Amino acid sequence: MASLLGTSSAAAAAILASTPFSARSSKSAVLSLFPSSGHSQGRKFYGGIRLPVKKGRSQFHVAISNVATEISPAQEQAQKLAEDNQRPVYPFPAIVGQDEMKLCLLLNVIDPKIGGVMIMGDRGTGKSTTVRSLVDLLPEIKVISGDPFNSDPEDQEVMSAEVRDKLRKGEQLPVSLTKINMVDLPLGATEDRVCGTIDIEKALTEGVKAFEPGLLAKANRGILYVDEVNLLDDHLVDVLLDSAASGWNTVEREGISISHPARFILIGSGNPEEGELRPQLLDRFGMHAQVGTVRDAELRVKIVEERGRFDKNPKEFRESYKGEQEKLQSQITSARSGLSSVTIDRDLRVKISKVCAELNVDGLRGDIVTNRAAKALAALKGRDKVTPEDIATVIPNCLRHRLRKDPLESIDSGLLVVEKFYEVFG
């Protein structure tokens, strides 16, 4: 650390690094130095920083106090302005074909607990375009104003420690509505940027040991999108696995110990020709969508023409799909509100588990995700009861990537699931 900060501030960095930080919260700590009473005091200079010292066994006492890492109103306004000026996104209803991928994405927006989507397919099939077009359809959620972790004012599981402490003390916290975040995780991201790290600038200029939240904090209660996920470095894959498993991100570095909620919908896309995904990470994706190149000549021409219209005048093109976009948004909002009332018969649950057991699916994630996805589909269609047709639609996407690989097997794993489904369900 000394080599990064320069020799003049090496001692200051050492002092900051050696300071205990026992409080696990989303707050950072202020380092206050003061002499003990009853002892003569002197002044010493350490790397340009003047510290009061005393004669005796210890040179100074250290007191830790908490400082909230909040987003100021000016920062919120700047973020909103940046969103308004961002490049136009291709509208979701304008995407031709690829119904399987679009359905998987919509079901995850309706029920985030499904656990995300892995989209694998040929290059140039619109995987990234479709995922990014989802931004316009994302509903609004309640968050604590100024909280960098998008804490839910009603659910303690996705609340930062600081917000929980304030609520325990009976403080009234301002609540605002904001759109669900979509965070892009670039392949070249560093672990510090993903997990968060100490704010060196504040540490040196203000004497504050502040935590700078990373992409996992920003993605809490939102979507984390990784393009070309099969090319992601192993150490970042480990970080994602840990957060996806626990729903929390824990940072232990430079004398800082902080845990914050990191519950997100993990969406990945990639080309299978560029390498396989680790089984542990693949299992974390709730659903798997297989995307193929459109072979119909008429559809291909339509896709080219639509893309040409968008490139020529994005604003006008988006306006032409505004009605369909709003209709789909209201359908998603209605499905989210009605999801809790959707039921599934025990007989259907037993059959789902029988399919999973006979396909030798490891663990119980397959059972859980299939039940959730079938309920989300019923809610999307405006029904309060799951039918076998709903299960038939979603079960290949929920189980395809969980089957054990047989190098001698030529049949697609999705077809194996469909065959077993009709065998069990009759």
Side-chain angles (χ1 to χ4, degrees):
M1 186 171 178
S3 62
L4 292 174
L5 305 178
T7 54
S8 63
S9 55
I15 290 167
L16 290 171
S18 63
T19 306
F21 193 85
S22 56
R24 282 185 176 268
S25 72
S26 61
K27 300 178 180 180
S28 50
V30 176
L31 183 67
S32 61
L33 304 173
F34 54 88
S36 294
S37 59
H39 292 272
S40 60
Q41 300 174 22
R43 299 284 180 183
K44 287 192 179 181
F45 287 84
Y46 293 95
I49 298 177
R50 187 175 67 173
L51 301 175
V53 299
K54 64 170 186 174
K55 293 179 183 177
R57 285 180 297 178
S58 61
Q59 291 192 337
F60 51 79
H61 295 290
V62 179
I64 305 275
S65 59
N66 289 323
V67 174
T69 309
E70 294 186 347
I71 301 172
S72 65
Q75 286 175 314
E76 283 185 348
Q77 192 174 358
Q79 284 178 5
K80 192 176 180 182
L81 189 64
E83 287 170 8
D84 293 340
N85 295 329
Q86 67 184 358
R87 63 183 180 182
V89 178
Y90 199 83
F92 192 85
I95 291 164
V96 179
Q98 313 299 10
D99 295 330
E100 181 182 318
M101 170 172 58
K102 291 194 287 187
L103 179 63
C104 289
L105 290 170
L106 289 176
L107 295 183
N108 271 272
V109 173
I110 293 168
D111 185 3
K113 289 184 179 178
I114 287 173
V117 193
M118 179 67 219
I119 304 165
M120 294 297 274
D122 305 329
R123 50 188 174 273
T125 47
K127 300 185 294 291
S128 304
T129 303
T130 307
V131 173
R132 293 194 170 100
S133 68
L134 199 64
V135 170
D136 289 334
L137 300 176
L138 297 178
E140 290 186 329
I141 54 172
K142 289 181 181 179
V143 298
I144 302 294
S145 299
D147 183 69
F149 307 111
N150 300 320
S151 293
D152 189 336
E154 296 162 1
D155 185 1
Q156 290 202 1
E157 284 296 312
V158 281
M159 252 183 218
S160 65
E162 179 193 349
V163 170
R164 281 204 306 272
D165 289 343
K166 287 181 177 179
L167 288 176
R168 208 173 287 124
K169 293 174 184 174
E171 292 184 34
Q172 291 293 324
L173 299 176
V175 177
S176 60
L177 284 172
T178 184
K179 261 201 166 189
I180 290 178
N181 245 345
M182 179 179 283
V183 179
D184 270 294
L185 176 61
L187 293 178
T190 62
E191 193 175 332
D192 283 359
R193 184 70 192 98
V194 174
C195 297
T197 186
I198 190 170
D199 190 330
I200 298 295
E201 184 181 353
K202 279 191 176 181
L204 294 177
T205 57
E206 302 174 23
V208 173
K209 193 184 287 186
F211 175 68
E212 186 178 349
L215 295 179
L216 292 180
K218 193 177 178 184
N220 185 40
R221 300 181 69 209
I223 294 173
L224 186 67
Y225 175 49
V226 190
D227 197 7
E228 306 296 348
V229 66
N230 46 344
L231 301 179
L232 196 65
D233 287 341
D234 279 347
H235 70 282
L236 290 182
V237 170
D238 295 336
V239 168
L240 288 183
L241 282 173
D242 185 40
S243 296
S246 63
W248 285 78
N249 175 42
T250 302
V251 181
E252 303 276 357
R253 59 186 59 188
E254 283 92 25
I256 274 186
S257 176
I258 282 183
S259 290
H260 67 77
R263 293 204 172 185
F264 45 81
I265 303 169
L266 186 59
I267 298 179
S269 62
N271 184 353
E273 293 176 1
E274 293 169 349
E276 291 295 325
L277 206 60
R278 278 168 57 179
Q280 298 95 327
L281 183 58
L282 195 57
D283 190 54
R284 292 294 172 191
F285 290 97
M287 303 182 80
H288 185 287
Q290 194 72 40
V291 182
T293 305
V294 176
R295 300 299 175 190
D296 185 271
E298 290 293 330
L299 278 180
R300 290 172 77 108
V301 169
K302 186 180 179 183
I303 292 168
V304 172
E305 287 175 348
E306 293 287 87
R307 185 71 211 189
R309 281 180 56 210
F310 177 76
D311 291 339
K312 187 178 179 181
N313 192 335
K315 191 174 180 182
E316 184 182 303
F317 183 78
R318 283 172 58 82
E319 280 294 321
S320 67
Y321 280 95
K322 192 174 180 182
E324 290 181 54
Q325 194 97 320
E326 288 174 351
K327 184 181 176 183
L328 191 53
Q329 274 180 315
S330 66
Q331 197 176 350
I332 290 170
T333 305
S334 174
R336 280 171 65 96
S337 61
L339 180 65
S340 58
S341 62
V342 177
T343 59
I344 179 168
D345 290 340
R346 180 172 175 79
D347 179 50
L348 295 181
R349 290 179 189 270
V350 172
K351 286 181 177 178
I352 288 171
S353 293
K354 190 176 180 183
V355 171
C356 293
E358 293 190 8
L359 286 171
N360 293 320
V361 174
D362 291 330
L364 293 171
R365 281 203 186 99
D367 308 55
I368 294 168
V369 170
T370 305
N371 278 273
R372 285 191 176 280
K375 283 184 176 182
L377 181 58
L380 183 63
K381 291 179 177 179
R383 288 187 273 101
D384 61 358
K385 198 166 187 179
V386 172
T387 64
E389 288 76 21
D390 296 328
I391 299 168
T393 304
V394 301
I395 199 168
N397 304 112
C398 299
L399 301 183
R400 173 194 286 144
H401 57 301
R402 304 181 196 277
L403 303 188
R404 294 182 180 179
K405 300 289 181 185
D406 184 353
L408 302 177
E409 186 67 71
S410 58
I411 189 171
D412 178 65
S413 54
L415 293 176
L416 285 174
V417 176
V418 172
E419 284 179 5
K420 185 58 68 176
F421 169 82
Y422 284 110
E423 184 185 313
V424 172
F425 278 76

